[in-house]
Amino acid sequence: MQGKVDHKMKFVVPEEIISTHYCEKLPEGFSNHLLTGEDSLACSPQHDPTLFTVHLPEVLDWLHQHDHPKSLEEEPCQIPVLLYDKHLSMDRLLFHYDGTPASAKLIRNFIQLFQNNIKNSRATIISPSFIPKSKLKEEQEIVQLVTASTEETSFIKFNFSRIGDFWSYAVKHQCTLLVTTKNYQSDLAKVLFHFYKGGMWYDRLAFYLSF
């Protein structure tokens, strides 16, 4: 059954379309678990939730009941959120590293949570062309962590400043999961709101958002 969502977490999506998971490490085959319609996982039910999952079309249909995606522009909750459409694959991961502590923490936590599901993944890390010297060591550590956790890793320098840039890159290169921080949640909501059910919609792309 679906887990109860604490209103104090300030997650604005209706509770009835959310599944709540309690796993420090998600079991292998987690994608199939979601796509077959199974609900919440309670690997460690004594702990706080580690992940919310939501079927993206249900979120977007709910958003389109409003004039604009204002609901997702409010203060995000602290629990990671995974939004997925008809497909959920870990085959081609796109990591957004922007040099901030939130970005580094996000990627480390994602690796911890999904390590049983990404051993055969191909990953791409996009980082800004300019990173302060104080962040170069952290950047290299992130690259090494992703490389050690996936089958193949690419590291690219792009000065992307908008979430739409990452979305376009992901669609062009057929990425299946974009990993980015909730600092971009509002911008992502606007992009999804604009393109949903349009000619450029790509239903193989999922989104993992966290702090």
Side-chain angles (χ1 to χ4, degrees), residues 2-190:
Q2 293 185 338
K4 178 69 174 177
V5 179
D6 189 338
H7 285 289
K8 292 183 292 185
M9 294 174 181
K10 297 183 180 178
F11 194 52
V12 297
V13 175
E15 293 181 13
E16 59 269 20
I17 65 174
I18 302 169
S19 291
T20 308
H21 307 279
Y22 303 81
C23 298
E24 294 182 356
K25 297 179 184 178
L26 292 166
E28 188 175 354
F30 178 68
S31 297
N32 290 334
H33 173 87
L34 287 186
L35 293 176
T36 54
E38 299 182 55
D39 291 322
S40 304
L41 288 173
C43 314
S44 306
Q46 70 276 17
H47 295 148
D48 291 334
T50 56
L51 180 68
F52 292 144
T53 56
V54 189
H55 191 216
L56 184 55
E58 293 185 74
V59 176
L60 295 174
D61 286 341
W62 171 73
L63 276 178
H64 275 79
Q65 297 173 16
H66 305 78
D67 293 333
H68 52 79
K70 184 67 178 178
S71 298
L72 287 186
E73 297 175 18
E74 298 176 5
E75 180 182 352
C77 69
Q78 296 296 314
I79 306 300
V81 177
L82 175 65
L83 304 167
Y84 64 98
D85 200 337
K86 294 179 181 178
H87 308 272
L88 178 58
S89 168
M90 301 291 158
D91 288 349
R92 296 182 64 88
L93 309 175
L94 180 59
F95 291 96
H96 175 193
Y97 174 74
D98 63 8
T100 65
S103 181
K105 179 182 176 182
L106 156 80
I107 295 174
R108 293 189 183 103
N109 288 349
F110 175 87
I111 296 293
Q112 166 72 17
L113 189 60
F114 283 90
Q115 60 185 273
N116 293 327
N117 294 270
I118 61 174
K119 298 173 184 176
N120 299 317
S121 302
R122 286 182 289 173
T124 299
I125 305 167
I126 292 182
S127 176
S129 295
F130 175 77
I131 288 285
K133 288 184 178 181
S134 61
K135 293 294 182 180
L136 290 177
K137 181 180 178 182
E138 178 183 76
E139 181 184 65
Q140 187 59 37
E141 289 174 349
I142 291 298
V143 173
Q144 292 173 351
L145 175 63
V146 175
T147 299
S149 304
T150 59
E151 183 174 336
E152 178 184 321
T153 300
S154 301
F155 179 58
I156 303 173
K157 289 284 190 175
F158 282 140
N159 286 326
F160 287 170
S161 59
R162 301 173 302 168
I163 199 64
D165 296 328
F166 289 91
W167 183 84
S168 297
Y169 180 94
V171 172
K172 180 179 180 180
H173 295 274
Q174 298 183 327
C175 298
T176 58
L177 180 61
L178 171 59
V179 179
T180 189
T181 76
K182 287 190 179 180
N183 294 331
Y184 298 91
Q185 176 173 293
S186 174
D187 290 340
L188 177 61
K190 293 173 184 175

